Amino acid sequence: MNTTPKQFAVIGHPVNHSLSPHIHLLFAGQFNIPLNYDRLDIEREELLSQLEQFKSQRFSGLNVTLPLKHDAYLLCQSLSDKAKLTESVNTISIRDNQLFGDTTDGIGLIRDLISKGVKLKNTRSLLVGAGGAANAVMADLIKGRPSTLYLTNRTIEKSMLMESHWSDFAKNHSVTLKVADINDREQGPYDVIINATSAGFTSELSPLPDGVISNNTICYDMIYGRETPFIRQAIEHKATWHDGLGMLIEQAAESFRIWHDKTPDTSTIKGDLALLKLI
Ligand code: NAP
């Protein structure tokens, strides 16, 4: 057995608080796989030259986070079907001096929803946001077969672009896609709302008006580690709510599977991170 640790890293800007190294080391421990996993702060302008260096430094894989996922998609030599569809890469495998790009955010979200008993099928669901994270989960959200998937965003033109990009894929899965004004209360309440905005970091206000959440709505915020205004709004409406920690763990598990061909047990990771006082 080769015991030389393989080299991995998460790249993005900022990355200093990323939990990915801890999560991957916990997974590696489950299989006694020796590996090193760094956090490397890289800005967009440096990405091309840094990727060349990672190849020469014999890195085996990279996780890619904000704001580099679309640039990584443009720079990989080969892409999974889902990375092509979503135009987003969060997992790079480096083999034979080539970069293979994949995206695991969508599967991470769906697996977390499933583990929490949230069903998308035949629901009226709302996706809030039109940035990298919203686009990255679209293929898997549509495959979850909500009857209607509403798209909304502060800059509504971006939701319109998303609708046109995804309309054929949605039709092929018998899902109706509709753009909703972010302040429109009339379409609500929704069965499931997924907040894929970064508003929870930058604003004291929820991106959504009251009236779109009822006590039967499932509210999911991709942000984790803080009570966002959207989560507070869900609590005020006595709705069920979840943060994005489970998605983070599940997307990491799928990256781990791609790199090591082994499926880690994710059920213990939240407890392990808490024991390590990381969450
Ligand atoms: P992004 O590409 O920068 O997009 C940000 C989105 O948030 C845009 O739709 C933007 O609207 C919206 N937004 C920002 N501030 C807002 C405000 N005050 N009110 C309403 N909308 C606002 O970022 P991203 O990559 O999509 O990431 C979004 C969030 O998801 C981040 O917080 C990230 O940490 C989280 N995330 C979590 C996971 C996980 O595994 N849990 C994975 C991926 C991402 P405009 O278009 O109008 O600017």
Side-chain angles (χ1 to χ4, degrees), residues 111-118 218 220 240-243 245-247 270:
R111 286 190 186 150
D112 191 37
L113 290 175
I114 291 170
S115 79
K116 294 180 160 82
V118 180
I218 311 278
Y220 191 101
T240 304
W241 62 271
H242 304 286
D243 74 8
L245 180 61
M247 173 179 170
K270 196 172 169 183

Side-chain angles (χ1 to χ4, degrees), residues 66 69 105 128-134 153-155 158 182 195-199 201-203 205 207 220 222-224 244-245 247-249 251:
L66 199 90
K69 292 181 188 179
D105 282 328
V128 193
N153 190 46
R154 179 176 62 178
T155 312
K158 292 195 200 164
I182 199 159
N195 183 16
T197 74
S198 48
F201 284 119
T202 56
S203 171
L205 298 174
Y220 191 101
M222 286 194 191
I223 291 177
Y224 53 86
L245 180 61
M247 173 179 170
L248 179 82
I249 293 169
Q251 62 78 29

